[in-house]
Amino acid sequence: QVQLVESGGGLVQAGDSLRLSCADSGRTFTSYAMGWFRQAPGKEREFVAGISVSGAYTMFAESVKGRATISRENGRNTVYLRIISLKPEDTAVYYCALYRGGSPNSAVASWGQGTQVTVSS
């Protein structure tokens, strides 16, 4: 059974950086790609970043490209998202996702409960 638990959100200032973590308590972490999505108030959930099983392949939304890094530690069943130069428009609930396949181009199989990130100007 997959259980994804995010941490690391909070209130930050514009220009700051933060790192979100997502731990998978299940036994499938090392077999699947992982990703991060976000949902701002009144908007649909959107893709932020994804990483393949090995970590060799990553992909990012245009809105965070150049500011975000996604990484994973398979030995810890944990995936990370680091964003620098945060902007107020980065404010959202950030969700961890486990994909159905080894690539972040596959469909999402499971979601975390989300962690709030608020960026003040």
Side-chain angles (χ1 to χ4, degrees):
Q1 182 177 356
V2 175
Q3 184 173 2
L4 305 174
V5 180
E6 300 99 333
S7 60
L11 175 64
V12 297
Q13 301 271 346
D16 285 351
S17 61
L18 61 72
R19 188 180 77 161
L20 304 178
S21 301
C22 172
D24 174 14
S25 61
R27 301 178 182 179
T28 60
F29 183 85
T30 56
S31 299
Y32 299 100
M34 299 294 295
W36 289 92
F37 290 70
R38 67 186 182 187
Q39 186 167 18
K43 296 187 177 181
E44 293 187 355
R45 190 173 299 190
E46 64 176 9
F47 169 79
V48 177
I51 187 167
S52 62
V53 170
S54 68
Y57 174 71
T58 58
M59 55 189 297
F60 299 92
E62 285 298 322
S63 58
V64 299
K65 195 170 290 184
R67 298 189 296 124
T69 305
I70 185 170
S71 60
R72 63 191 296 163
E73 284 190 72
N74 286 343
R76 293 176 179 260
N77 281 13
T78 302
V79 62
Y80 305 96
L81 177 69
R82 176 173 170 81
I83 305 178
I84 64 172
S85 302
L86 283 159
K87 306 174 183 180
E89 50 264 45
D90 292 318
T91 295
V93 177
Y94 283 71
Y95 296 92
C96 178
L98 180 143
Y99 288 90
R100 293 189 182 277
S103 165
N105 291 307
S106 55
V108 173
S110 298
W111 296 96
Q113 84 287 352
T115 184
Q116 176 71 46
V117 173
T118 303
V119 184
S120 64
S121 57

